[in-house]
């Protein structure tokens, strides 16, 4: 994300800009270091100390990263705080930056970048002293030692998976401690252990040593799968490491390799396929396609097919196994065998979906329709394998392709009234297919059925149809029915406020005021509640009812004066 230095609020949420500015003005940004030309790094003090790094190009930030957990937007307040510091303390800007205090001209000589300091130190250091320093660091810091070996002596990296697995297990056990459980906060550290090894594996692949990267990848998968069994991985750090390792393994499998290493890749993938702990963590079904990709002979295919059969009929996670099994069967046993296998898999919706698509593509309308109709009757463990109307869109497509207009109208109406399949698209289809002279009566009946149909009173859909028909009185009627649900954010009123505000300004303003009151005076309010209240006041003001805004704010300043968060928002209005 490119951030123009002089127009922060155009690309960053105003609240984040204000918070970042306050951090800067409170002195939370340590003196930044220029790592290399136009790359700055600093520690920003918040609820914890966070490391922030930005890269400049011209008058804009072109790269930025922070190790804080913020994930609600592209830029956090710590990055903004560093930007303000750079604008006012380091880049020599004059005047004010986004409301910050006046900047200071930097008249001191330019300080060498960290990269330049390191280059200078390396050039000046006697070789024996440098060797002694690196040796000492290697003995004291395992991560540094591994990084050095990967960068400078990749052939010394162990090719024994068990060595890497022992290392990872030891680190995971150290994180878990005596309680033998990795809690939410420790999971980030555990994930970091996996990511460190995976970064080293990536470097080895880039340097042309995939045979040394493979044991690291498989060890990371196994150690991660073991660790996640006794961990609170709510933040997805350990799971993310497992997925990354599997994806790197998949990337490796897609490349051409000499025969011994291809066989080693296949052997290791097959071993993982037979490891239940590992397979329980293969949520995206990554390993099955890897195995199928690597197989070259009937002899190699046999054990992989046996492994795939064990998971291919699984309700959850079996899709990749089915695809891989069908691919191998087609390659080594022919189309007829694959077709028979596929027919046996038709109880699974993904396989039936593909079979219907193939029949439609071949214009075999009879088979396509039969497959869809039969799908309604398929059960798994005594229950329907799919939702009641899962197959209806397929039948609608077939009716459209075969120009069966009565069937198109019947199925589109079913999907509109009784399901949640692209409802407005089905309304538009009906609008197109029903004769113009018949439409007013048809849509009246349609709305009546919607209001009493299986979906209950779907205000949003009814409002969407009424708005499309320009029946604004009925849209407002649906909005009124939501008045007793003040916490409803994505409401009919939110969707059609512009049009309803023109026709019913006072009623819309009053409804927004009731919602604002709800958020402002909640029993246990959060900051977001006050933000919602302030946002609603701005919407009332936009409708032209400044008097109502003034009355609400005056009341809150007296009745809710102790709510500092609310008062802050009112001061910003």
């Amino acid at each position: 994300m490119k951030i123009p230095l002089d127009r922060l609020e155009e690309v960053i949420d105003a609240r984040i800009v204000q918070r970042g500015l306050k951090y800067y003005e409170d002195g939370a940004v340590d003196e930044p270091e220029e790592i290399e030309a136009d790359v700055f790094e600093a520690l920003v003090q918040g609820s914890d100390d966070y490391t922030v790094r930005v890269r400049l190009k011209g008058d804009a930030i072109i790269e930025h990263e922070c190790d804080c957990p913020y994930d609600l937007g592209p830029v956090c307040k710590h990055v903004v705080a560093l930007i303000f510091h750079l604008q006012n303390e380091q880049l020599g800007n004059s005047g004010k930056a986004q409301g910050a205090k006046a900047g200071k001209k930097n008249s001191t000589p330019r300080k060498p970048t960290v990269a330049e300091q390191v280059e200078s130190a390396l050039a000046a250091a006697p070789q024996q002293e440098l060797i002694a320093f690196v040796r000492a660091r290697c003995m004291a810091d395992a991560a540094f030692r591994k990084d050095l070996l990967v960068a400078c002596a990749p052939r010394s990296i162990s090719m024994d998976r068990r060595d890497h697995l022992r290392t990872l297990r030891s680190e995971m056990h150290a994180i878990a401690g005596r309680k033998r459980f990795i809690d939410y906060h420790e999971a980030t550290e555990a994930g970091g252990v996996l990511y460190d090894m995976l970064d080293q594996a990536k470097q080895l692949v880039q340097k042309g040593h995939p045979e040394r990267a493979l044991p690291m990848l498989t060890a990371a998968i196994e150690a991660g799968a073991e660790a996640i069994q006794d961990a609170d991985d709510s933040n997805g750090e350990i799971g993310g490491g497992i997925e990354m390792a599997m994806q790197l393994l998949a990337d490796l499998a897609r490349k051409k390799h000499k025969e011994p290493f291809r066989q080693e890749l296949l052997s290791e993938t097959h071993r993982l396929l037979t490891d239940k702990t590992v397979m329980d963590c293969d949520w995206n079904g990554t390993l099955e396609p890897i195995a199928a990709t690597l197989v070259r002979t009937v002899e190699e295919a046999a054990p992989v097919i046996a492994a795939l059969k064990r998971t291919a009929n699984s309700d959850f996670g079996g899709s990749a196994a089915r695809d891989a099994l069908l691919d191998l069967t087609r390659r080594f046993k022919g189309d007829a065998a694959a077709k028979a296998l596929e027919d046996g898999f038709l109880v699974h919706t993904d396989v039936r979906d593909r079979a219907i698509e193939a029949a439609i593509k071949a214009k075999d309308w009879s088979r396509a329709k039969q497959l869809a109709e039969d799908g309604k009757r398929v059960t798994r463990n005594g229950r329907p394998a799919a939702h009641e109307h899962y197959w209806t869109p397929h039948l609608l497509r077939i009716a459209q392709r075969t120009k069966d207009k009565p069937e198109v109208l019947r199925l589109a109406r079913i999907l509109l009234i009784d399901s949640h399949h692209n409802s407005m698209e089905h309304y538009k289809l009906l609008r197109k297919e029903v004769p113009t002279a018949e439409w007013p009566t048809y849509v009246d009946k349609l709305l009546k059925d919607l209001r009493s149909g299986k979906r209950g009173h779907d205000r949003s859909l009814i409002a969407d149809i009424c708005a499309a028909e320009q029946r604004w009185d009925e849209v407002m009627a649906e909005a009124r029915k939501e008045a007793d649900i003040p916490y409803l954010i994505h409401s009919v009123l939110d969707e059609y406020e512009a049009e309803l505000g023109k026709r019913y300004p006072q009623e819309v303003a009053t409804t927004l005021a009731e919602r604002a009151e709800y958020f402002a005076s909640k029993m246990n309010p959060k900051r977001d509640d006050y933000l919602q209240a302030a946002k609603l006041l701005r919407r009332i003001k936009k409708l032209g009812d400044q008097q109502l805004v003034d009355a609400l704010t005056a009341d809150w300043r007296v009745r809710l004066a102790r709510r500092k968060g609310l008062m802050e928002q009112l001061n910003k209005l």
Side-chain angles (χ1 to χ4, degrees), residues 473-508:
D473 286 350
E474 293 178 61
V475 177
M476 190 64 218
E478 296 303 324
R480 288 189 193 105
K481 293 169 185 174
E482 293 177 337
D484 59 341
I485 318 174
Y487 52 81
L488 192 63
I489 304 299
H490 301 292
S491 64
V492 170
L493 188 58
D494 292 327
E495 182 70 23
Y496 296 107
E497 184 178 327
E499 290 295 335
L500 296 177
K502 294 176 188 175
R503 294 165 173 81
Y504 316 93
Q506 187 172 359
E507 187 173 355
V508 171

mmCIF file of all heavy atoms in Angstrom, residues 473-508:
data_model
loop_
_atom_site.group_PDB
_atom_site.id
_atom_site.type_symbol
_atom_site.label_atom_id
_atom_site.label_comp_id
_atom_site.label_asym_id
_atom_site.label_seq_id
_atom_site.Cartn_x
_atom_site.Cartn_y
_atom_site.Cartn_z
ATOM 1 N N ASP A 473 -42.832 3.514 -0.376
ATOM 2 C CA ASP A 473 -43.673 3.419 0.829
ATOM 3 C C ASP A 473 -43.474 2.057 1.493
ATOM 4 O O ASP A 473 -43.398 1.952 2.723
ATOM 5 C CB ASP A 473 -45.155 3.597 0.475
ATOM 6 C CG ASP A 473 -45.498 5.041 0.166
ATOM 7 O OD1 ASP A 473 -44.630 5.906 0.415
ATOM 8 O OD2 ASP A 473 -46.609 5.303 -0.313
ATOM 9 N N GLU A 474 -43.377 1.007 0.672
ATOM 10 C CA GLU A 474 -43.209 -0.332 1.226
ATOM 11 C C GLU A 474 -41.791 -0.547 1.760
ATOM 12 O O GLU A 474 -41.599 -1.291 2.733
ATOM 13 C CB GLU A 474 -43.546 -1.376 0.156
ATOM 14 C CG GLU A 474 -45.029 -1.376 -0.225
ATOM 15 C CD GLU A 474 -45.350 -2.381 -1.314
ATOM 16 O OE1 GLU A 474 -45.126 -3.582 -1.080
ATOM 17 O OE2 GLU A 474 -45.810 -1.953 -2.394
ATOM 18 N N VAL A 475 -40.807 0.117 1.116
ATOM 19 C CA VAL A 475 -39.437 0.032 1.642
ATOM 20 C C VAL A 475 -39.390 0.663 3.034
ATOM 21 O O VAL A 475 -38.819 0.100 3.972
ATOM 22 C CB VAL A 475 -38.440 0.744 0.704
ATOM 23 C CG1 VAL A 475 -37.032 0.713 1.310
ATOM 24 C CG2 VAL A 475 -38.427 0.092 -0.674
ATOM 25 N N MET A 476 -40.036 1.821 3.172
ATOM 26 C CA MET A 476 -40.055 2.495 4.469
ATOM 27 C C MET A 476 -40.805 1.652 5.495
ATOM 28 O O MET A 476 -40.430 1.603 6.670
ATOM 29 C CB MET A 476 -40.713 3.876 4.336
ATOM 30 C CG MET A 476 -40.572 4.751 5.578
ATOM 31 S SD MET A 476 -38.846 5.169 5.936
ATOM 32 C CE MET A 476 -38.828 5.100 7.725
ATOM 33 N N ALA A 477 -41.840 0.968 5.066
ATOM 34 C CA ALA A 477 -42.600 0.110 5.978
ATOM 35 C C ALA A 477 -41.707 -1.007 6.519
ATOM 36 O O ALA A 477 -41.784 -1.365 7.704
ATOM 37 C CB ALA A 477 -43.808 -0.477 5.259
ATOM 38 N N GLU A 478 -40.830 -1.557 5.653
ATOM 39 C CA GLU A 478 -39.906 -2.598 6.118
ATOM 40 C C GLU A 478 -38.877 -2.009 7.078
ATOM 41 O O GLU A 478 -38.490 -2.650 8.063
ATOM 42 C CB GLU A 478 -39.196 -3.248 4.921
ATOM 43 C CG GLU A 478 -40.109 -3.990 3.962
ATOM 44 C CD GLU A 478 -40.930 -5.077 4.638
ATOM 45 O OE1 GLU A 478 -40.399 -5.733 5.563
ATOM 46 O OE2 GLU A 478 -42.093 -5.272 4.261
ATOM 47 N N ALA A 479 -38.445 -0.769 6.803
ATOM 48 C CA ALA A 479 -37.489 -0.111 7.694
ATOM 49 C C ALA A 479 -38.102 0.124 9.074
ATOM 50 O O ALA A 479 -37.427 -0.008 10.098
ATOM 51 C CB ALA A 479 -37.017 1.205 7.085
ATOM 52 N N ARG A 480 -39.396 0.485 9.106
ATOM 53 C CA ARG A 480 -40.076 0.725 10.394
ATOM 54 C C ARG A 480 -40.089 -0.532 11.254
ATOM 55 O O ARG A 480 -39.994 -0.460 12.485
ATOM 56 C CB ARG A 480 -41.518 1.182 10.144
ATOM 57 C CG ARG A 480 -41.646 2.590 9.590
ATOM 58 C CD ARG A 480 -43.097 3.052 9.566
ATOM 59 N NE ARG A 480 -43.236 4.246 8.757
ATOM 60 C CZ ARG A 480 -43.771 4.275 7.536
ATOM 61 N NH1 ARG A 480 -44.228 3.146 6.978
ATOM 62 N NH2 ARG A 480 -43.852 5.408 6.877
ATOM 63 N N LYS A 481 -40.207 -1.686 10.608
ATOM 64 C CA LYS A 481 -40.263 -2.938 11.354
ATOM 65 C C LYS A 481 -38.938 -3.264 12.042
ATOM 66 O O LYS A 481 -38.883 -4.123 12.918
ATOM 67 C CB LYS A 481 -40.655 -4.084 10.414
ATOM 68 C CG LYS A 481 -42.086 -3.954 9.888
ATOM 69 C CD LYS A 481 -42.343 -4.943 8.777
ATOM 70 C CE LYS A 481 -43.735 -4.721 8.166
ATOM 71 N NZ LYS A 481 -43.964 -5.573 6.983
ATOM 72 N N GLU A 482 -37.869 -2.571 11.624
ATOM 73 C CA GLU A 482 -36.575 -2.799 12.241
ATOM 74 C C GLU A 482 -36.291 -1.816 13.374
ATOM 75 O O GLU A 482 -35.238 -1.875 14.008
ATOM 76 C CB GLU A 482 -35.461 -2.658 11.194
ATOM 77 C CG GLU A 482 -35.501 -3.747 10.135
ATOM 78 C CD GLU A 482 -34.433 -3.561 9.068
ATOM 79 O OE1 GLU A 482 -33.967 -2.423 8.889
ATOM 80 O OE2 GLU A 482 -34.086 -4.557 8.415
ATOM 81 N N ALA A 483 -37.226 -0.911 13.623
ATOM 82 C CA ALA A 483 -37.009 0.127 14.637
ATOM 83 C C ALA A 483 -36.789 -0.452 16.026
ATOM 84 O O ALA A 483 -36.122 0.158 16.863
ATOM 85 C CB ALA A 483 -38.192 1.097 14.658
ATOM 86 N N ASP A 484 -37.343 -1.627 16.276
ATOM 87 C CA ASP A 484 -37.184 -2.228 17.599
ATOM 88 C C ASP A 484 -35.902 -3.056 17.708
ATOM 89 O O ASP A 484 -35.686 -3.763 18.681
ATOM 90 C CB ASP A 484 -38.388 -3.121 17.920
ATOM 91 C CG ASP A 484 -38.575 -4.245 16.906
ATOM 92 O OD1 ASP A 484 -38.023 -4.109 15.792
ATOM 93 O OD2 ASP A 484 -39.261 -5.221 17.214
ATOM 94 N N ILE A 485 -35.033 -2.960 16.677
ATOM 95 C CA ILE A 485 -33.736 -3.648 16.714
ATOM 96 C C ILE A 485 -32.657 -2.581 16.500
ATOM 97 O O ILE A 485 -32.033 -2.519 15.444
ATOM 98 C CB ILE A 485 -33.634 -4.743 15.620
ATOM 99 C CG1 ILE A 485 -34.936 -5.542 15.504
ATOM 100 C CG2 ILE A 485 -32.468 -5.681 15.908
ATOM 101 C CD1 ILE A 485 -34.953 -6.525 14.366
ATOM 102 N N PRO A 486 -32.402 -1.716 17.477
ATOM 103 C CA PRO A 486 -31.497 -0.581 17.278
ATOM 104 C C PRO A 486 -30.056 -0.965 16.991
ATOM 105 O O PRO A 486 -29.325 -0.195 16.389
ATOM 106 C CB PRO A 486 -31.595 0.183 18.602
ATOM 107 C CG PRO A 486 -32.050 -0.828 19.604
ATOM 108 C CD PRO A 486 -32.952 -1.752 18.846
ATOM 109 N N TYR A 487 -29.649 -2.172 17.417
ATOM 110 C CA TYR A 487 -28.265 -2.579 17.213
ATOM 111 C C TYR A 487 -28.022 -3.146 15.814
ATOM 112 O O TYR A 487 -26.902 -3.520 15.464
ATOM 113 C CB TYR A 487 -27.862 -3.629 18.251
ATOM 114 C CG TYR A 487 -28.813 -4.806 18.329
ATOM 115 C CD1 TYR A 487 -28.736 -5.855 17.418
ATOM 116 C CD2 TYR A 487 -29.808 -4.852 19.302
ATOM 117 C CE1 TYR A 487 -29.609 -6.919 17.478
ATOM 118 C CE2 TYR A 487 -30.684 -5.912 19.371
ATOM 119 C CZ TYR A 487 -30.584 -6.944 18.467
ATOM 120 O OH TYR A 487 -31.462 -7.989 18.524
ATOM 121 N N LEU A 488 -29.069 -3.209 14.985
ATOM 122 C CA LEU A 488 -28.940 -3.749 13.637
ATOM 123 C C LEU A 488 -28.180 -2.749 12.770
ATOM 124 O O LEU A 488 -28.673 -1.660 12.483
ATOM 125 C CB LEU A 488 -30.328 -4.020 13.053
ATOM 126 C CG LEU A 488 -30.394 -4.838 11.762
ATOM 127 C CD1 LEU A 488 -29.854 -6.240 11.991
ATOM 128 C CD2 LEU A 488 -31.834 -4.916 11.272
ATOM 129 N N ILE A 489 -26.972 -3.114 12.352
ATOM 130 C CA ILE A 489 -26.128 -2.182 11.599
ATOM 131 C C ILE A 489 -26.479 -2.200 10.110
ATOM 132 O O ILE A 489 -26.752 -1.174 9.512
ATOM 133 C CB ILE A 489 -24.633 -2.519 11.798
ATOM 134 C CG1 ILE A 489 -24.289 -2.523 13.281
ATOM 135 C CG2 ILE A 489 -23.761 -1.519 11.047
ATOM 136 C CD1 ILE A 489 -24.512 -1.209 13.976
ATOM 137 N N HIS A 490 -26.487 -3.384 9.504
ATOM 138 C CA HIS A 490 -26.757 -3.475 8.066
ATOM 139 C C HIS A 490 -28.262 -3.653 7.869
ATOM 140 O O HIS A 490 -28.760 -4.733 7.566
ATOM 141 C CB HIS A 490 -25.966 -4.637 7.456
ATOM 142 C CG HIS A 490 -24.502 -4.507 7.652
ATOM 143 N ND1 HIS A 490 -23.763 -3.520 7.034
ATOM 144 C CD2 HIS A 490 -23.632 -5.201 8.416
ATOM 145 C CE1 HIS A 490 -22.505 -3.626 7.403
ATOM 146 N NE2 HIS A 490 -22.396 -4.637 8.240
ATOM 147 N N SER A 491 -28.984 -2.566 8.012
ATOM 148 C CA SER A 491 -30.440 -2.622 7.989
ATOM 149 C C SER A 491 -30.968 -2.085 6.663
ATOM 150 O O SER A 491 -30.226 -1.579 5.819
ATOM 151 C CB SER A 491 -30.998 -1.767 9.135
ATOM 152 O OG SER A 491 -30.653 -0.402 8.925
ATOM 153 N N VAL A 492 -32.280 -2.193 6.510
ATOM 154 C CA VAL A 492 -32.945 -1.625 5.335
ATOM 155 C C VAL A 492 -32.701 -0.121 5.284
ATOM 156 O O VAL A 492 -32.437 0.458 4.224
ATOM 157 C CB VAL A 492 -34.468 -1.921 5.380
ATOM 158 C CG1 VAL A 492 -35.196 -1.142 4.297
ATOM 159 C CG2 VAL A 492 -34.710 -3.425 5.222
ATOM 160 N N LEU A 493 -32.769 0.512 6.442
ATOM 161 C CA LEU A 493 -32.553 1.958 6.500
ATOM 162 C C LEU A 493 -31.134 2.321 6.073
ATOM 163 O O LEU A 493 -30.920 3.305 5.352
ATOM 164 C CB LEU A 493 -32.819 2.461 7.919
ATOM 165 C CG LEU A 493 -32.832 3.988 8.109
ATOM 166 C CD1 LEU A 493 -33.888 4.627 7.203
ATOM 167 C CD2 LEU A 493 -33.113 4.334 9.554
ATOM 168 N N ASP A 494 -30.152 1.525 6.506
ATOM 169 C CA ASP A 494 -28.770 1.779 6.084
ATOM 170 C C ASP A 494 -28.626 1.668 4.570
ATOM 171 O O ASP A 494 -27.934 2.460 3.934
ATOM 172 C CB ASP A 494 -27.822 0.768 6.744
ATOM 173 C CG ASP A 494 -27.724 0.965 8.246
ATOM 174 O OD1 ASP A 494 -27.820 2.115 8.692
ATOM 175 O OD2 ASP A 494 -27.563 -0.035 8.967
ATOM 176 N N GLU A 495 -29.281 0.670 4.000
ATOM 177 C CA GLU A 495 -29.153 0.401 2.574
ATOM 178 C C GLU A 495 -29.805 1.482 1.724
ATOM 179 O O GLU A 495 -29.274 1.884 0.684
ATOM 180 C CB GLU A 495 -29.767 -0.968 2.256
ATOM 181 C CG GLU A 495 -29.646 -1.388 0.802
ATOM 182 C CD GLU A 495 -28.221 -1.723 0.406
ATOM 183 O OE1 GLU A 495 -27.417 -2.047 1.302
ATOM 184 O OE2 GLU A 495 -27.917 -1.649 -0.796
ATOM 185 N N TYR A 496 -30.955 1.978 2.176
ATOM 186 C CA TYR A 496 -31.727 2.908 1.332
ATOM 187 C C TYR A 496 -31.931 4.276 1.986
ATOM 188 O O TYR A 496 -32.884 4.977 1.684
ATOM 189 C CB TYR A 496 -33.080 2.266 0.994
ATOM 190 C CG TYR A 496 -32.927 1.025 0.158
ATOM 191 C CD1 TYR A 496 -33.141 -0.239 0.703
ATOM 192 C CD2 TYR A 496 -32.518 1.108 -1.163
ATOM 193 C CE1 TYR A 496 -32.958 -1.391 -0.059
ATOM 194 C CE2 TYR A 496 -32.340 -0.032 -1.932
ATOM 195 C CZ TYR A 496 -32.568 -1.270 -1.371
ATOM 196 O OH TYR A 496 -32.382 -2.399 -2.137
ATOM 197 N N GLU A 497 -30.996 4.655 2.844
ATOM 198 C CA GLU A 497 -31.135 5.927 3.568
ATOM 199 C C GLU A 497 -31.213 7.128 2.622
ATOM 200 O O GLU A 497 -31.968 8.069 2.864
ATOM 201 C CB GLU A 497 -29.964 6.103 4.526
ATOM 202 C CG GLU A 497 -30.078 7.337 5.387
ATOM 203 C CD GLU A 497 -28.924 7.463 6.358
ATOM 204 O OE1 GLU A 497 -28.415 6.424 6.822
ATOM 205 O OE2 GLU A 497 -28.538 8.609 6.654
ATOM 206 N N ALA A 498 -30.433 7.118 1.549
ATOM 207 C CA ALA A 498 -30.421 8.264 0.630
ATOM 208 C C ALA A 498 -31.805 8.515 0.048
ATOM 209 O O ALA A 498 -32.306 9.654 0.059
ATOM 210 C CB ALA A 498 -29.407 8.031 -0.484
ATOM 211 N N GLU A 499 -32.449 7.460 -0.441
ATOM 212 C CA GLU A 499 -33.783 7.619 -1.047
ATOM 213 C C GLU A 499 -34.847 7.864 0.012
ATOM 214 O O GLU A 499 -35.722 8.719 -0.155
ATOM 215 C CB GLU A 499 -34.134 6.377 -1.871
ATOM 216 C CG GLU A 499 -33.318 6.221 -3.144
ATOM 217 C CD GLU A 499 -33.592 7.332 -4.152
ATOM 218 O OE1 GLU A 499 -34.700 7.922 -4.098
ATOM 219 O OE2 GLU A 499 -32.701 7.613 -4.965
ATOM 220 N N LEU A 500 -34.785 7.130 1.112
ATOM 221 C CA LEU A 500 -35.794 7.292 2.168
ATOM 222 C C LEU A 500 -35.649 8.655 2.843
ATOM 223 O O LEU A 500 -36.648 9.262 3.249
ATOM 224 C CB LEU A 500 -35.671 6.164 3.197
ATOM 225 C CG LEU A 500 -35.953 4.753 2.678
ATOM 226 C CD1 LEU A 500 -35.713 3.721 3.779
ATOM 227 C CD2 LEU A 500 -37.385 4.638 2.160
ATOM 228 N N GLY A 501 -34.408 9.133 2.955
ATOM 229 C CA GLY A 501 -34.186 10.439 3.565
ATOM 230 C C GLY A 501 -34.810 11.566 2.777
ATOM 231 O O GLY A 501 -35.249 12.578 3.339
ATOM 232 N N LYS A 502 -34.880 11.423 1.463
ATOM 233 C CA LYS A 502 -35.523 12.454 0.620
ATOM 234 C C LYS A 502 -37.029 12.474 0.842
ATOM 235 O O LYS A 502 -37.664 13.532 0.817
ATOM 236 C CB LYS A 502 -35.262 12.156 -0.863
ATOM 237 C CG LYS A 502 -33.820 12.270 -1.289
ATOM 238 C CD LYS A 502 -33.703 11.844 -2.752
ATOM 239 C CE LYS A 502 -32.255 11.734 -3.205
ATOM 240 N NZ LYS A 502 -32.158 11.211 -4.590
ATOM 241 N N ARG A 503 -37.610 11.298 1.066
ATOM 242 C CA ARG A 503 -39.066 11.186 1.137
ATOM 243 C C ARG A 503 -39.605 11.275 2.575
ATOM 244 O O ARG A 503 -40.712 11.752 2.794
ATOM 245 C CB ARG A 503 -39.498 9.864 0.492
ATOM 246 C CG ARG A 503 -39.216 9.828 -1.020
ATOM 247 C CD ARG A 503 -39.309 8.411 -1.574
ATOM 248 N NE ARG A 503 -39.210 8.392 -3.036
ATOM 249 C CZ ARG A 503 -38.066 8.457 -3.708
ATOM 250 N NH1 ARG A 503 -36.919 8.536 -3.045
ATOM 251 N NH2 ARG A 503 -38.067 8.449 -5.027
ATOM 252 N N TYR A 504 -38.833 10.779 3.536
ATOM 253 C CA TYR A 504 -39.294 10.752 4.928
ATOM 254 C C TYR A 504 -38.180 11.262 5.855
ATOM 255 O O TYR A 504 -37.729 10.543 6.749
ATOM 256 C CB TYR A 504 -39.687 9.325 5.350
ATOM 257 C CG TYR A 504 -40.500 8.564 4.323
ATOM 258 C CD1 TYR A 504 -39.873 7.737 3.400
ATOM 259 C CD2 TYR A 504 -41.881 8.694 4.280
ATOM 260 C CE1 TYR A 504 -40.599 7.041 2.452
ATOM 261 C CE2 TYR A 504 -42.626 8.003 3.338
ATOM 262 C CZ TYR A 504 -41.976 7.180 2.422
ATOM 263 O OH TYR A 504 -42.707 6.507 1.488
ATOM 264 N N PRO A 505 -37.665 12.461 5.652
ATOM 265 C CA PRO A 505 -36.491 12.931 6.410
ATOM 266 C C PRO A 505 -36.680 12.921 7.924
ATOM 267 O O PRO A 505 -35.783 12.507 8.658
ATOM 268 C CB PRO A 505 -36.280 14.356 5.877
ATOM 269 C CG PRO A 505 -37.579 14.754 5.288
ATOM 270 C CD PRO A 505 -38.196 13.509 4.753
ATOM 271 N N GLN A 506 -37.851 13.355 8.388
ATOM 272 C CA GLN A 506 -38.058 13.434 9.833
ATOM 273 C C GLN A 506 -38.114 12.045 10.459
ATOM 274 O O GLN A 506 -37.519 11.791 11.507
ATOM 275 C CB GLN A 506 -39.351 14.205 10.143
ATOM 276 C CG GLN A 506 -39.532 14.464 11.632
ATOM 277 C CD GLN A 506 -40.720 15.389 11.907
ATOM 278 O OE1 GLN A 506 -41.389 15.851 11.005
ATOM 279 N NE2 GLN A 506 -40.958 15.661 13.188
ATOM 280 N N GLU A 507 -38.819 11.134 9.802
ATOM 281 C CA GLU A 507 -38.949 9.778 10.354
ATOM 282 C C GLU A 507 -37.600 9.055 10.343
ATOM 283 O O GLU A 507 -37.255 8.368 11.300
ATOM 284 C CB GLU A 507 -39.975 8.988 9.550
ATOM 285 C CG GLU A 507 -40.282 7.635 10.166
ATOM 286 C CD GLU A 507 -41.434 6.916 9.473
ATOM 287 O OE1 GLU A 507 -42.064 7.498 8.566
ATOM 288 O OE2 GLU A 507 -41.694 5.754 9.853
ATOM 289 N N VAL A 508 -36.833 9.246 9.270
ATOM 290 C CA VAL A 508 -35.513 8.616 9.198
ATOM 291 C C VAL A 508 -34.602 9.181 10.281
ATOM 292 O O VAL A 508 -33.908 8.447 10.983
ATOM 293 C CB VAL A 508 -34.886 8.818 7.801
ATOM 294 C CG1 VAL A 508 -33.428 8.358 7.805
ATOM 295 C CG2 VAL A 508 -35.671 8.035 6.750
#
